[in-house]
Amino acid sequence: MSFDLKRRRLAIVRKAKGMNRSQLARAAKMQAGTIAWIETGRFVPYESQLDKIADALGWEGDPSELFEEVRDADDLR
């Protein structure tokens, strides 16, 4: 049986940077729970939150790209 797992690019990029949710939250000046809710799609971030997260990750693309669903690390860019 094969599962088609999709994850938000945010979680993949965060892990690739060697950060856990708490570290990203601290760097973005947000709550770790908020990061978890955003990553799991339970909360839609405000534009200001998108910008803070993108800055904390050093993301140079459009911040909204971090919240797209991707299949694996090959879909990062």
Side-chain angles (χ1 to χ4, degrees):
M1 179 187 284
S2 173
F3 291 97
D4 184 19
L5 297 176
K6 291 184 180 178
R7 298 187 301 165
R8 296 196 186 280
R9 184 175 278 123
L10 171 58
I12 296 169
V13 172
R14 174 181 57 75
K15 289 175 185 176
K17 296 279 185 179
M19 299 173 87
N20 62 36
R21 287 175 176 165
S22 295
Q23 291 168 323
L24 175 56
R26 237 184 336 272
K29 296 181 174 66
M30 298 172 68
Q31 297 290 323
T34 302
I35 298 295
W37 280 41
I38 291 170
E39 281 188 0
T40 59
R42 293 169 47 191
F43 178 78
V44 177
Y46 298 104
E47 188 174 340
S48 61
Q49 291 170 314
L50 290 172
D51 293 340
K52 286 180 183 181
I53 292 168
D55 288 346
L57 290 170
W59 184 257
E60 295 182 7
D62 183 338
S64 66
E65 292 174 352
L66 287 169
F67 303 94
E68 295 173 353
E69 289 186 342
V70 294
R71 285 188 171 72
D72 57 36
D74 293 337
D75 290 334
L76 282 177
R77 275 251 152 212

